[in-house]
Each structure stands twice: as C-alpha cells, then as structure tokens.
Amino acid sequence: MKTKPFAAPYAVWMLLFTIVPIALVAAYSFTTADGALTLRNMANFLDPIYITVLLRSLGIALLCTLICLLVGYPAAYVLAQKDFDKKGVLVLLFVIPMWMNFLLRTYAWLTLLESNGLITSTVNRVIEFFGGQGNVRLLYNYGAVLMGMVYNYLPFMVLPLYTSLSRLDRRVVEAAEDLGANRSQVFLRVVFPLSVPGIFSGVTMVFMPAITTFVISRLLGGAQFKLFGDLIEQQFLFTGNWNFGSAMSLIMMVLLLLSMSIMNRYGDQEGGGIF
Amino acid sequence: MKKLLPLLLCACLLCAPFLSGCTPAANEKPSSITVFNWEDYINPEIFDLFEKETGIKVTYTRFTTNEEMYLRLDRGGVNYDVAFPSDYMIERLVKNDLLLPLDHEKLPEFKNTYAWLQTPDYDPESKYSVPYMWGTVGILYNTEMTDGEIDSWGAMWDAKYLRNVLMMDSVRDSLGITLCYLGFDLNTRDETQLAAAAEMLKEQKRSGVVLAYGVDEIKDKMVNNEAALGLVWSGDAITSIDLNEGLAFCVPKEGSNVWIDGMVIPRSSKNPEGALAFINFMMRPEIAAMNSEYIGYSTPNEAAMAILGAEYSENPIFNPPAEVIARCKFFHDVEDALETYNRIWEEVMNE
C-alpha cells in the first residue's frame, strides 16, 4: 500500500501516452474526415490490394522470426555455456549495434548490397572464380528486405534466449547425464523444453516489430515490396487519410493481440510472454 | 513527503507540454521566425547573415514531401512563418485558405525575378507566393550503360534496360511523366486517360525494367552506376553529374513538368512581418546566388544568375533554353481527382 503513490507518475504517463492515443486511433478508425460515424474505413480494408499487403507482411514476418530462431538459438546456446569465457564480450557485440539508430544501419546495408558494394562484388567474384556468371544482384528484392529485417531483429531473439538458457539449472542437466542420457537426449528432452519460455518471448519480441516493419522494406526493397507498416505510413504522411490509417493500425493491433494471446496460452510459464 | 514526490512528478508530466509551448514571450515584440523548408535546401550561412542584419532569429525545420508539409500546415497545430511548398501545393493551400497574402510593398527585391516566373499560372499575380527555386523533371542516364542520346520517355519502358530504371516514389512525378509520354495533359482528371497511364506504370513494373522506386536515393544510386536511367529533378541531375561525369540529363521531347518551389507565409504565422523581411532577404541577388550555388538548383532570380556567371547560365540543365521550357507544364492541384491519383499509385506499388 505504501508504494502505491509512487505508481501514480507511471499511471499518468500510461494515460497520456498509451490509453489516450489508442482511444484516438479507435475514434479515428470509425469516423469520416468530418467526424461522422462510419464503418467505411474497415470496409475499405477488404480490398484485395490491402489484403495482399497484409498477407505479404505476415509471411515475411513469420519467415523472419523463423530465421532469427534458427540462427539465434545456437548462438544463445553457445553463449550460455558455463565454460565459455568470452561471453561478456560476445553479448556486448550483440548489443552494440543496437546503440546505433536502425535507419543508419539500414542505410549501411543499402551501400553494402549495391552492385558495386562490398558484399555483392565479393559474391560475384567468388561465383566468377568457380566459372559462373558473376552478375548476382542482391539489392531491391525480397531477399534484401528479409535480410534487413533479420539483421535488425536478431538481437531481440538472442537476448531472451540467452537469459532463459543461462538461468537453466545445471543440476537438471547433470541429473539427466547421470541417468544415462546422451548429449542429444539431454538437449532434446531437458534443455530444449526448459527453454521454451525463452523461445516464446524471443518469438514475440521479433514477430511484433517484424510485422509492423516499415522503411526497411522501402529502402532495401526499392518500395516494390510494400509491407503493412509502409501502408500505414503512406496514409498518414502522404495521402493524408488519417481515418483509414488509424483503421489499419487498429486492425494490426487486434491481430497482434490475438496472436499474442494464443502465444501466451501455450507459453505461459515463468520468464515467458511479455504480457 | 512520500506523497508529495509522486504528486510533483505527476504535475511535471502534465505541465511539460504547456511549458514548451509558452517559452516564446507572447507579449514582447517577436524577434524570431520559424522556417519550414525541404531537407537540404538552403545555404546555412544565410541564417547568421539574416540575424546579424535584422536581429530576427531563425528556427529551421524540414520536410521531405509536399504532402507531408501540407498536412502539417493543415492539422499540425504548429506555427510556421515561412514555408516552401511547390506550385500545385501552393494552389491547394490557397484554395483551403491556409496562406496569408503577401504585402508586395515589403518585397522590393521581387523585381529581380525573371518576368515569366513572376506570373506562374498557379498564382498569376504572385499574390501568395514568390519563387525560391525552379527546375524541370527529366531522365538522368548513364552514358556508358545506354547507347546514344536519350530523348524520349519511352526509354524508361524499354525492355533492354531490364532492372535498370529508377522511378520516383512520388505520385505526381511518376504519373505526370507517364501522362506526358502518352500525349495527355499532366494535370488530367479524365478517368480513361488516367487509367491508361496507370496501366502503363503497372506494365513497366511487371516487365521488370524498374529496379526500384525512391526519392533521395536515386541520385546516390545513379552516381554509383547502379542503374542506367533515373527519373530526377533537374537540380539533383546537376549534383549527380558533378560527382559522376558519365551521367547526362535530358528533358524528353514528349514534354515534362516544370516546377517552382515558392516561399509563402502560412496563415498560422505569428510573425508575418519577420517572415516578409526573410522572404525579401532571400530574394536579394547575392543571397539567392549563395543558395543556388550551395544546393545546385536553378534560381528564378535574374540578378543572381548574373552574379553566378556563364558557368551556370550557359548550363542547359541549370538554365534550360526556351524551347525546353515551352514543352514543359506546371503541375496543378487536381482537387477531387487526387483520390484517383493516390489510388492509382497504390495499385501500381502493389502490382
């Protein structure tokens, strides 16, 4: 009870910057530019154009989350090993890029991936070395967008996994070994199940920004692979249809809430979901 | 005490937005103006010179598209004293009563403006705007990747430039040049003409000639030899050719867009007197020349052109000959058809 007053600043903060804005978004979603109530914004969304973009966003976000998991899990596993002594440095290396603005990092990829850029020219030289045609282009395609997303969101997967794996009770592993489990059995039947909460929070942390991605898709995809976030940005900054933009944001929020609640149902253990 | 601290924090939170709003002394004679201009579109030395002379301090803010700027003036709840919209946007701002008329008594330097730019058809009496910079839209091309001189928009649809064309992610520009290519008016509101242009743009994307859609990135990619052709504003062409001599620029024979970025005073201005002083200052020949030299865009100022000298005035991109201007048109506000324009662009982008 004594600490309750100290929560007041946060409550005011929440009210001003979370609840009021969400209420405003909802209000805009169901009104026309003149303020009359309408469901037109929602109906507009059913246009095949927007559904295609939504499905594309969903697809790329799932793919990005999967790749982050496949790349991030082994990395987190190695980092969490007790006898691994460089872990401080490595964890730091994962975090340092996040100190830089993501826009700046994405612009760097724009230069690295262009035809005369470091990565593309190296790849082409390697192909030529093996007798192939060295004219691979890496920028402005689906792969470039996916690459940019994985690069940006990977730390969000590795860090929760690392936390969850390093908190793992070594004695459980030792017990399994004493009982005759071999290394893969220990991993599959003990370590992996115990790290599921970490997987869930990693997946949540990657999937959420991934599905609302914008700018990355515009820069690395040359605006040819518009994602849902780009569509919302477009409505607010260029077209000026705030009502439709809000309706799309609301639809996105509802979808996220739904997927999160499904996740939480299955992953509701300590250290799990973020709700 | 325990209760006081949280209360104080709450009070701070609640007051913060108001505090920032009331800093400029309202009752004192205002001695500052807020300028709202395009990204990278002024010589920053100007501010010091202006402040030294008039004592008026300039706060400088930026935007990247006309549409974004319009929305801020329309609903932003912010006060700008001078803004730099383009022609068709000036028309829209005037129609929606968002600009103050200019007092030409206070703008003696306007006389330096080229006569043909003093009466642009979107604001024939220069009642609300005076030109700041102007230019054309055309094709920037890499002479090593293309064969011979390019003189038609058709090149941007040519299958031999597969994955080699950079288009502008800007509805009016990309749609405008397509309409020109088809021989239609670039301000058309005719649904069938627009549908034909939309089909052309979709076809262009389907055929795979488009490498990417962009705005500011186009010049960087052209300079780095990443693409053969790019749709650019003339000022960007000048900057790019400076950095890569293998590039050339043309305003295609089918016609194109000529544009002006003007200086206007938004209705929300708190200091219109200061704004007028600033606009007049910007039209002084030496100052206009400084800006033009710095950003590489063409000056509408005849006296400034004289200062810049032959290197500039004889450059056909910087100072297009009359026959080029003759085949170019200004953009106009398309009013209700804007929805169709936006819709077409959405369809093209999601093709």
Side-chain angles (χ1 to χ4, degrees), chain B residues 5-312:
Chain B
L5 190 62
L7 260 177
L8 211 69
L9 281 170
C10 288
C12 287
L13 255 175
L14 285 171
C15 293
F18 305 105
L19 279 178
S20 60
C22 61
T23 27
N27 42 7
E28 211 175 280
K29 189 170 169 276
S31 58
S32 74
I33 56 168
T34 306
V35 173
F36 196 33
N37 195 359
W38 297 78
E39 197 70 59
D40 216 3
Y41 210 45
I42 199 165
N43 184 337
E45 286 170 39
I46 302 292
F47 303 129
D48 275 347
L49 294 175
F50 181 67
E51 192 181 342
K52 224 171 264 168
E53 192 176 302
T54 59
I56 299 174
K57 213 174 143 41
V58 179
T59 310
Y60 191 65
T61 51
R62 305 165 178 84
F63 59 88
T64 45
T65 66
N66 271 308
E67 286 70 19
E68 176 195 348
M69 181 233 43
Y70 179 85
L71 287 173
R72 294 252 213 115
L73 290 189
D74 188 27
R75 330 187 183 170
V78 266
N79 305 303
Y80 298 108
D81 298 298
V82 182
F84 291 68
S86 308
D87 33 51
Y88 70 101
M89 211 33 98
I90 292 173
E91 205 171 43
R92 194 166 157 203
L93 287 163
V94 171
K95 270 182 209 151
N96 290 294
D97 197 25
L98 290 167
L99 300 182
L100 289 174
L102 300 175
D103 178 1
H104 275 274
E105 298 269 295
K106 304 243 169 68
L107 297 173
E109 302 285 350
F110 183 62
K111 65 174 194 298
N112 301 321
T113 309
Y114 281 106
W116 73 276
L117 288 166
Q118 291 197 12
T119 56
D121 53 9
Y122 58 86
D123 182 16
E125 290 157 45
S126 291
K127 199 174 158 200
Y128 293 96
S129 67
V130 294
Y132 172 57
M133 292 288 160
W134 71 283
T136 55
V137 174
I139 303 176
L140 179 66
Y141 61 98
N142 191 310
T143 50
E144 277 156 35
M145 297 161 91
T146 51
D147 33 80
E149 214 169 289
I150 299 244
D151 67 346
S152 163
W153 292 119
M156 305 201 88
W157 273 264
D158 192 333
K160 72 179 169 203
Y161 301 120
L162 196 68
R163 303 277 290 152
N164 255 319
V165 175
L166 294 170
M167 287 293 283
M168 242 191 251
D169 186 3
S170 161
V171 48
R172 290 306 303 268
D173 296 288
S174 284
L175 202 56
I177 65 118
T178 313
L179 288 165
C180 285
Y181 180 40
L182 289 171
F184 301 141
D185 177 28
L186 47 67
N187 293 303
T188 189
R189 300 182 197 182
D190 182 306
E191 294 281 338
T192 43
Q193 292 183 350
L194 285 171
E199 194 40 51
M200 287 287 286
L201 285 166
K202 286 181 199 168
E203 178 51 38
Q204 186 193 30
K205 194 175 174 190
R206 272 198 296 266
S207 70
V209 295
V210 180
L211 174 63
Y213 297 86
V215 181
D216 297 325
E217 310 95 278
I218 297 181
K219 56 180 169 191
D220 296 335
K221 294 296 161 202
M222 290 303 296
V223 169
N224 292 346
N225 301 321
E226 283 295 307
L229 309 162
L231 181 62
V232 297
W233 293 304
S234 51
D236 284 352
I238 293 171
T239 317
S240 306
I241 294 169
D242 264 352
L243 296 167
N244 180 347
E245 288 189 351
L247 298 176
F249 178 77
C250 81
V251 177
K253 60 182 182 223
E254 294 93 351
S256 180
N257 163 236
V258 57
W259 51 265
I260 294 179
D261 287 333
M263 295 185 274
V264 301
I265 305 181
R267 189 159 286 284
S268 61
S269 166
K270 287 263 171 70
N271 187 2
E273 289 299 308
L276 279 168
F278 183 74
I279 292 174
N280 193 46
F281 186 78
M282 293 287 273
M283 289 191 293
R284 267 193 216 168
E286 345 39 285
I287 301 296
M290 273 175 79
N291 277 324
S292 200
E293 203 171 7
Y294 186 84
I295 64 173
Y297 276 77
S298 315
T299 181
N301 197 305
E302 200 165 0
M305 191 64 96
I307 296 176
L308 288 167
E311 189 200 335
Y312 285 84

